Amino acid sequence: MSAVMMAEKGCKRMSLTGRELRSMVSDGVLRLTLEEVVIGDLAPDEIVVKVEAAPINPSDLGLLLGPADIASMRSQGSSDRPALAFDIPEARRASVSARLGQSLSVGNEGAGTVVAAGEQARDWLGRCVGMVGGGMYADLRKIRTRDALPLPKGVAAAEGAALTVNPLTALGFVETARAEGHAAIVHTAAASSLGQMLQKICAGDGIPLVNIVRSAEQVQLLRDIGASIVLNSRDADFKAQLVDAISATGATIAFDAIGGGSLGSDIMRAMERGAVNRMTEYSRYGSSSFKQLYVYGALDLSPMVLDRLAFGFQWSVSGWLLTPFLQKAGAETVMRLRKRVFDELTTTFATHYTRAIGLGEALEPEILRAYERKATGEKFLVNPTLN
């Protein structure tokens, strides 16, 4: 009896099997494997989705590879059951101590077709849905209907696979800036898919945005989609340009995807310089302008360096994550943001992929090296139906 037929009869007894990509840390080694997973009986509000598209985002790589040394990668397993192993440098092991011995599923979001359903979810059968909740790098994903969204008619799985992480993060940045009273925003690693979405949102909403990238090609990419302020951090006069741009826009909040190094400090210093230049009276405590730096990524794993005496005493540095933001924002705000994502799914929030790979291909060394680079303009999509 097929899974769909069983679902139509209430799905009292069923069993489906599929592969799932797993990441585990033990003995200073991180291992990636494809494990066979059995999906048993469904709760009344659960569905089983055949995964057809799941993007590879930097946040996914954080769980998939963590602090592993990519140069130490070695193949294990067999052709039909591939596996990879990586050494974790001693200095980085403390960051994964809480996950030792745990086999963790990977993939924050995805999309596919519903192939089985609990008795309260029979009308979901055959629908193409977007999902969030982890474990998306898999042939099949069991999930509650509250964590799935039916895609609009005519929208393919690949178009709806990235409904949550990047779109809601970009919108969340704008919501955060507004709620905290900031008039303009600074964003690093701004040529990313998320950065391009943020640029389009800010342009549409009339919010000044200072984009920071690291190459002339990335500058041109953002210029081509309408960005007016794009700075190359590798220019010799970058710091002077940064002060000018922040002074012109009045930006007092930044969202940093880099994390390590001194870029965050440079941004805070430029914000203070701009504020001090507007002061009419000297204060040994610096300006009274409050400056906020949110770190939401870790493209640079080195320690963050903050020259705190360079930005006065009115400032804060903290982390920003999507899930806590959504929890604090409340249901009404989340519904409003999700509606905007759906309304602009093929424009502002369109995600363009350069390559689709099968589940087994995700563990091929050369392919892993390619998507681990997180190169601008290269976006990988996992499609488990390919192999």
Side-chain angles (χ1 to χ4, degrees), residues 241-323:
Q241 292 183 47
L242 185 59
V243 171
D244 290 344
I246 288 177
S247 297
T249 60
T252 49
I253 187 170
F255 295 92
D256 179 30
I258 308 300
S262 62
L263 181 57
S265 186
D266 293 339
I267 293 169
M268 297 287 273
R269 179 198 293 263
M271 288 180 180
E272 176 68 359
R273 284 280 302 278
V276 167
N277 289 340
R278 295 189 293 272
M279 292 172 60
T280 57
E281 204 171 298
Y282 169 76
S283 169
R284 65 183 182 276
Y285 300 114
S287 76
S288 61
S289 175
F290 185 79
K291 302 158 287 291
Q292 175 69 58
L293 173 66
Y294 282 114
V295 181
Y296 75 96
L299 295 178
D300 183 343
L301 296 177
S302 68
M304 172 181 281
V305 178
L306 293 176
D307 184 9
R308 65 180 183 84
L309 295 181
F311 23 92
F313 285 82
Q314 295 294 312
W315 56 272
S316 176
V317 177
S318 56
W320 195 100
L321 287 174
L322 178 59
T323 299

Side-chain angles (χ1 to χ4, degrees), residues 213 298 333 339 346:
V213 297
T333 297
K339 182 180 185 303
T346 59

Side-chain angles (χ1 to χ4, degrees), residues 38 58 61 70 75 119 121 169 233 241 299 301 378:
V38 177
L61 293 175
I70 302 303
S75 295
E119 56 186 323
T169 296
S233 62
Q241 292 183 47
L299 295 178
L301 296 177
E378 292 185 12

